[in-house]
Amino acid sequence: MTTILITEDTPPPTPDQPGTPPRKQPWFGAFLLRLHFYAGILIGPFILVAALSGALYAATPQLEQVIYAHELRAPESATTLPLADQIDAAQAVVGDEGALVAVRPAPNNGDTTRVMFTGDGLGESETRAIFVDPATAEVRGDLTAYGTSGVLPLRTWIDQFHRNLHLGDIGRLYSELAASWLGVVVLAGGAMWVIRIRKVRAKKDLLRPNNSVPGYRRLFSWHASTGIWLLVGALFLSATGITWSQYAGANVSELRAAFNLGTPSISTDLGEAAAAPTDEHAGHGTASASTAAIEPATFDAVLAVSQTVNVNTGLVEIRPPAAAGQAWVVQEIQRSFPTEVDSVAVDGATLQVTDRVDFADFNLAAKLTRWGIDTHMGTMFGLANQLVLLATALGLAAMVSWGYLMWWKRRPTRGGAKMGRPAPAGALAGAPWWGVLAVMAGALVVGLFFPLVGISLLVFIVVDAVLSLRTPRSTPN
């Protein structure tokens, strides 16, 4: 989702004394500065949009509860009707306009039950959700829900804007650039921070903003000190955000599959039960409607069976078989700590358990992926998680803004003078041959795994080399 943009106001070099050879400047620090500067300038807008939309998304759970209170809540009651009665009420509203694909029973007293259908005009991963009072079977709402998280229209709009700017697959390139380059810019900025703090005397100015200095140096102080505190959070958002990306995300999934580190899924085949890798971003596919007649009473029956096996939370989704010869599935959908995503498959005819998958049996990579995704979305640790995400996202947006202000301070004035020196070109020109090869090899390796970063990084290296050749070098008098 997001970026840190640190540009260093390096003082002009002092002329060498007559008769002494020119001092060789360290090339790697100059390369990091150049990389950080250009990446921040060019990728900054993408990171700024991702940061602000991510901050807005972090605040949406509470907004959703307010805006859709009538649909999400019902009067508390000591009695609850069978799911069959609630499904009948929802089907009376939908009629022949959609097929039943899932039911989410009311998780707590005062919540509504969601009965979910297919429908015309729905997008990928969307369902038509009918909200039913579990005590009276009163239909309290009819909304479009999205994904496994079941977010409603407001959050869906913000989520899609954050993901792809509502431009489909083309728009996903923006978020992949933002997530991938964020990590690069953060690491480069962190390395420069380490180099600088080892040299300066006022080290505290790199740990907290210094408002006693004017202009550029004040901006730099805010940028550098804020950046180091946001470093871990920014790297986390970059790493987890990449898993949603179009190209790098696919490479991550292939790598996990190659090492048998995928997330196991429930088997619904009544002939043979075998867990297979699945996608943790579940719910981003198209809902599958059952091709067989569904008896509403079976929802109550399979839920009761699952509760004797491994389903022990109120947040569950019951899915009927998508085709003949398949089992019903009861899936826990609690994405807050402690994670509850166990699932069980039940033969609807015999009510025999045919398969089960328990989160406790997930491999470590699958568990870390699940926890990372849920933390990125702000659901893992509730309000505290949301507040940390909000602060990190707003901090990253401020970093981008300070970076552009610093760049503006360095602009040429009308008289031709500059208020600061931009990051000098030609960092690689002064590098040893092995340094150039290392950078090129690193760009190639990164490009194979993160294609958009690799392509843009190679372009940066070529442009930097060309500019260095065109830039006249000053010679001592």
Side-chain angles (χ1 to χ4, degrees), residues 20 28 58-59 65 80 135 139 206 223 234 245 267 325 354 377 394 415 437 440-441 462:
T20 61
F28 189 63
Q65 290 293 322
T80 300
V139 173
L206 294 177
H223 187 89
S245 63
S267 173
T354 60
M377 296 183 68
L394 292 178
L437 286 181
M440 296 293 288
V462 172

Side-chain angles (χ1 to χ4, degrees), residues 114-460:
R114 296 192 190 192
V115 186
M116 305 159 74
F117 297 86
T118 61
D120 295 334
L122 295 176
E124 185 180 10
S125 307
E126 292 182 342
T127 57
R128 181 181 178 184
I130 307 298
F131 297 81
V132 181
D133 185 335
T136 65
E138 173 197 1
V139 173
R140 296 182 63 83
D142 182 351
L143 296 171
T144 299
Y146 174 77
T148 303
S149 53
V151 297
L152 300 179
L154 173 65
R155 290 178 73 185
T156 300
W157 192 94
I158 297 173
D159 175 78
Q160 292 302 312
F161 184 82
H162 180 70
R163 184 190 305 272
N164 59 27
L165 302 177
H166 294 283
L167 296 175
D169 287 342
I170 294 297
R172 292 182 66 185
L173 298 178
Y174 120 82
S175 59
E176 182 161 355
L177 278 170
S180 301
W181 268 106
L182 173 61
V184 176
V185 176
V186 166
L187 290 174
M192 289 192 299
W193 185 92
V194 171
I195 293 172
R196 189 176 182 89
I197 201 170
R198 294 174 60 185
K199 295 180 178 180
V200 300
R201 294 181 179 179
K203 300 184 187 302
K204 62 182 180 179
D205 290 347
L206 294 177
L207 293 171
R208 56 104 179 97
N210 182 1
N211 290 320
S212 64
V213 293
Y216 175 88
R217 292 189 178 277
R218 176 181 294 183
L219 290 172
F220 175 78
S221 176
W222 275 92
H223 187 89
S225 59
T226 303
I228 199 61
W229 290 108
L230 293 178
L231 187 141
V232 173
L235 287 177
F236 171 80
L237 291 177
S238 173
T240 52
I242 286 171
T243 65
W244 272 281
S245 63
Q246 191 168 3
Y247 299 108
N251 289 338
V252 171
S253 298
E254 291 176 4
L255 182 65
R256 289 182 58 198
F259 289 93
N260 197 27
L261 295 175
T263 298
S265 65
I266 196 82
S267 173
T268 59
D269 187 351
L270 292 178
E272 180 181 0
T278 190
D279 181 9
E280 292 80 3
H281 307 88
H284 297 297
T286 303
S288 299
S290 175
T291 58
I294 299 174
E295 178 60 45
T298 310
F299 282 88
D300 293 285
V302 297
L303 177 60
V305 170
S306 70
Q307 289 171 336
T308 67
V309 181
N310 62 357
V311 173
N312 54 13
T313 179
L315 288 167
V316 299
E317 180 175 280
I318 309 165
R319 299 190 296 271
Q326 294 188 352
W328 291 64
V329 173
V330 182
Q331 170 80 58
E332 294 179 329
I333 54 173
Q334 178 175 309
R335 299 298 171 80
S336 59
F337 185 83
T339 302
E340 297 281 0
V341 292
D342 298 344
S343 58
V344 59
V346 179
D347 185 335
T350 65
L351 296 183
Q352 296 297 309
V353 174
T354 60
D355 193 22
R356 63 181 287 177
V357 173
D358 297 89
F359 182 70
D361 298 331
F362 282 20
N363 59 69
L364 180 60
K367 288 181 177 178
L368 291 175
T369 302
R370 178 75 271 154
W371 291 330
I373 290 171
D374 295 338
T375 304
H376 186 111
M377 296 183 68
T379 60
M380 188 66 176
F381 300 107
L383 182 60
N385 196 161
Q386 293 175 253
L387 292 175
V388 171
L389 285 176
L390 184 64
T392 303
L394 292 178
L396 289 169
M399 297 286 293
V400 176
S401 302
W402 290 326
Y404 279 113
L405 288 173
M406 291 158 62
W407 178 56
W408 180 253
K409 290 286 187 181
R410 291 174 178 267
R411 77 193 189 283
T413 62
R414 291 184 178 180
K418 293 184 178 180
M419 301 181 70
R421 298 191 317 121
L428 287 180
W433 65 266
W434 56 264
V436 176
L437 286 181
V439 171
M440 296 293 288
L444 181 61
V445 172
V446 169
L448 292 175
F449 204 72
F450 307 100
L452 296 186
V453 174
I455 293 172
S456 51
L457 182 57
L458 283 173
V459 171
F460 157 75

